[in-house]
Amino acid sequence: MSDKIISESAEKDWGSIMEADERFCEDVLNSNESPVEKMKKLSNNPHSCEDIVAALLKYGPYLENYVESTEVLGTGESIGDFLSTNCHRLDALEILCNEVEKADPKQISQNRFINDVFTAVTLYGIYTKMDELYQPTDSEDEEGVRRLYTEAMTLVEICAVYFRKHRVMSESDITYYRFGQSAYFKSQYDVLKAKKEEAAKESEKAPVAPEKPAESVQQVSFVAVKQKNPNRPTYIACAICAVVFALGLILALLEKQIGNYLLLISGLAEVGVGFILFKIARQRERFTCPECGTKRIHHRKFLETTEKVTTMNWKNPAYPDGKHKIEYTHKYLDTYTCPNCGKEQRENVSKSGGSYTTFNNGRIQDQSTDPREF
């Protein structure tokens, strides 16, 4: 049967086109050609594009093309239209992928073309599931939207693995792709956006005392003097260390072995107390305005993600637990701003972003975390 199902000049009757395309796919599947030759024939659809596999791998990884029904192909098709037009061909390609996987699973990872087809078919399956789980962007069904989000992130992770395997993107670009797609999808759904905004408001919420007359302020100050000193535990710890140090020093001078032990213990205790005092001083410096004494508000802005790659027996077939591990570090700009006088302090901080590990046996362990701003 000819690849050209209906003449270019004929009027496009999609009912007839799809019927003819289904018959064409059956003829290709029943032919005596090799799976690769069959895949190449099925990939060329004259009513869509020359290479439907390449098109799906180019436009399918980006969720905005699906959510916004963007026209991404020269034919004016969106991702949804594209999948509908090529559903028979993608179904046939899935059958061929299953046959190849049963006959020789290694071909999927070793043959670039077969891996492309396998990945495209996988994206097709996920998009089909997303159609079944579809929720409008203003949906209030949080559970339904989260199920849809989970499927969307599964698609993103599969694409990230594909990009990494074939070096389509650098590691940093893959990181931005993964986090960017997650952030984009969440921004499109009101129920997820509302949750995020609510969490941000809660984290920034600080008690603000109402204005009071001068007498009231004086009364509060008087009561505060009567309260326990919050630094008393620190003073007590310092006093104990001083006593232990003095006792240890006296015993050491008297050439008593226990004196040396007491000096060692007091030294370690002093290091601990010093560290605690340092942390307290740093917190006060950050959160207390030096100009007016008002409690400052803490904000965190994401700057970039860096990666550290480690391998152990990677790609060595004798070690199925050999691995390729990427450890992420999120870098932020922290600002502490006084709501009264506006004085601001800035600091660069680094936080762990988790890790993404690929094992020789194909297992993937994703412990990565998204950057968190507030």
Side-chain angles (χ1 to χ4, degrees):
M1 182 175 179
S2 171
D3 282 353
K4 199 165 187 66
I5 302 171
I6 293 181
S7 171
E8 291 278 345
S9 60
E11 184 179 354
K12 285 195 173 183
D13 176 0
W14 282 106
S16 300
I17 290 174
M18 296 306 290
E19 288 179 7
D21 204 39
E22 186 175 11
R23 292 194 298 270
F24 170 76
C25 293
E26 290 176 358
D27 289 345
V28 172
L29 288 174
N30 294 328
S31 68
N32 295 323
E33 295 177 301
S34 67
V36 172
E37 290 302 318
K38 292 178 183 179
M39 288 176 177
K40 289 179 178 178
K41 277 193 173 183
L42 291 168
S43 296
N44 183 4
N45 188 348
H47 297 287
S48 180
C49 64
E50 292 183 358
D51 192 341
I52 65 173
V53 170
L56 188 51
L57 292 177
K58 182 177 181 180
Y59 299 109
Y62 301 96
L63 297 171
E64 53 266 37
N65 293 334
Y66 174 77
V67 174
E68 301 174 19
S69 297
T70 310
E71 294 183 358
V72 294
L73 300 170
T75 56
E77 291 179 302
S78 65
I79 289 293
D81 296 334
F82 175 82
L83 296 177
S84 298
T85 303
N86 294 285
C87 63
H88 296 312
R89 291 175 179 259
L90 290 166
D91 287 337
L93 287 170
E94 183 176 10
I95 293 172
L96 290 172
C97 285
N98 292 335
E99 290 179 0
V100 170
E101 190 172 21
K102 287 180 181 179
D104 186 3
K106 291 182 180 179
Q107 285 194 65
I108 294 175
S109 59
Q110 294 175 352
N111 187 309
R112 172 65 184 270
F113 176 70
I114 294 177
N115 188 252
D116 285 358
V117 175
F118 188 86
T119 305
V121 165
T122 304
L123 300 190
Y124 167 60
I126 295 176
Y127 273 126
T128 302
K129 184 69 177 297
M130 288 174 65
D131 283 340
E132 296 173 1
L133 298 173
Y134 173 76
Q135 294 283 340
T137 54
D138 59 353
S139 171
E140 296 182 0
D141 181 4
E142 184 181 351
E143 185 179 349
V145 172
R146 290 199 177 280
R147 284 198 299 267
L148 180 61
Y149 171 77
T150 299
E151 284 299 319
M153 291 305 100
T154 300
L155 181 143
V156 169
E157 291 305 324
I158 288 170
C159 292
V161 172
Y162 174 82
F163 293 154
R164 184 175 291 112
K165 178 180 177 62
H166 298 296
R167 303 184 183 277
V168 176
M169 291 183 181
S170 66
E171 288 295 340
S172 58
D173 287 340
I174 292 173
T175 301
Y176 287 126
Y177 162 74
R178 293 171 64 245
F179 294 138
Q181 290 297 295
S182 174
Y184 167 79
F185 197 89
K186 288 179 179 178
S187 71
Q188 295 301 303
Y189 282 87
D190 295 342
V191 66
L192 298 180
K193 191 162 41 175
K195 287 286 181 182
K196 183 177 180 181
E197 291 173 354
E198 184 180 334
K201 287 179 181 178
E202 286 295 325
S203 66
E204 293 178 4
K205 193 182 294 181
V208 179
E211 295 184 1
K212 296 182 179 179
E215 292 104 2
S216 299
V217 175
Q218 290 174 357
Q219 184 179 3
V220 171
S221 300
F222 176 76
V223 172
V225 172
K226 295 294 183 179
Q227 292 177 349
K228 291 183 178 180
N229 189 337
N231 291 325
R232 179 172 293 178
T234 304
Y235 297 152
I236 293 173
C238 289
I240 292 173
C241 288
V243 171
V244 173
F245 173 76
L247 182 60
L249 181 61
I250 293 170
L251 292 174
L253 291 173
L254 295 175
E255 297 184 352
K256 301 290 185 179
Q257 186 67 26
I258 191 173
N260 296 328
Y261 291 131
L262 288 175
L263 286 176
L264 176 62
I265 293 170
S266 68
L268 294 174
E270 286 161 10
V271 170
V273 171
F275 178 76
I276 293 171
L277 291 175
F278 171 76
K279 296 294 288 186
I280 292 173
R282 289 290 291 153
Q283 285 298 94
R284 287 185 175 179
E285 180 186 6
R286 292 183 180 120
F287 286 98
T288 305
C289 178
E291 298 292 329
C292 61
T294 305
K295 181 179 179 180
R296 292 199 278 204
I297 299 172
H298 183 199
H299 293 284
R300 175 166 290 169
K301 180 182 178 182
F302 172 67
L303 299 177
E304 63 173 343
T305 298
T306 59
E307 301 169 359
K308 177 184 177 183
V309 179
T310 56
T311 59
M312 184 180 72
N313 297 317
W314 177 236
K315 292 187 177 180
N316 188 335
Y319 296 90
D321 288 333
K323 61 185 180 181
H324 178 276
K325 184 176 183 180
I326 305 171
E327 295 177 276
Y328 301 106
T329 300
H330 300 319
K331 296 188 176 180
Y332 303 93
L333 175 64
D334 278 16
T335 57
Y336 301 84
T337 307
C338 176
N340 184 35
C341 66
K343 188 172 180 62
E344 184 178 87
Q345 178 173 323
R346 296 188 175 192
E347 291 182 5
N348 291 315
V349 297
S350 298
K351 299 290 182 180
S352 172
S355 62
Y356 188 93
T357 308
T358 305
F359 294 88
N360 286 340
N361 59 11
R363 183 167 64 90
I364 293 174
Q365 186 179 56
D366 187 359
Q367 296 177 322
S368 59
T369 58
D370 292 346
R372 181 176 176 270
E373 292 184 320
F374 52 82

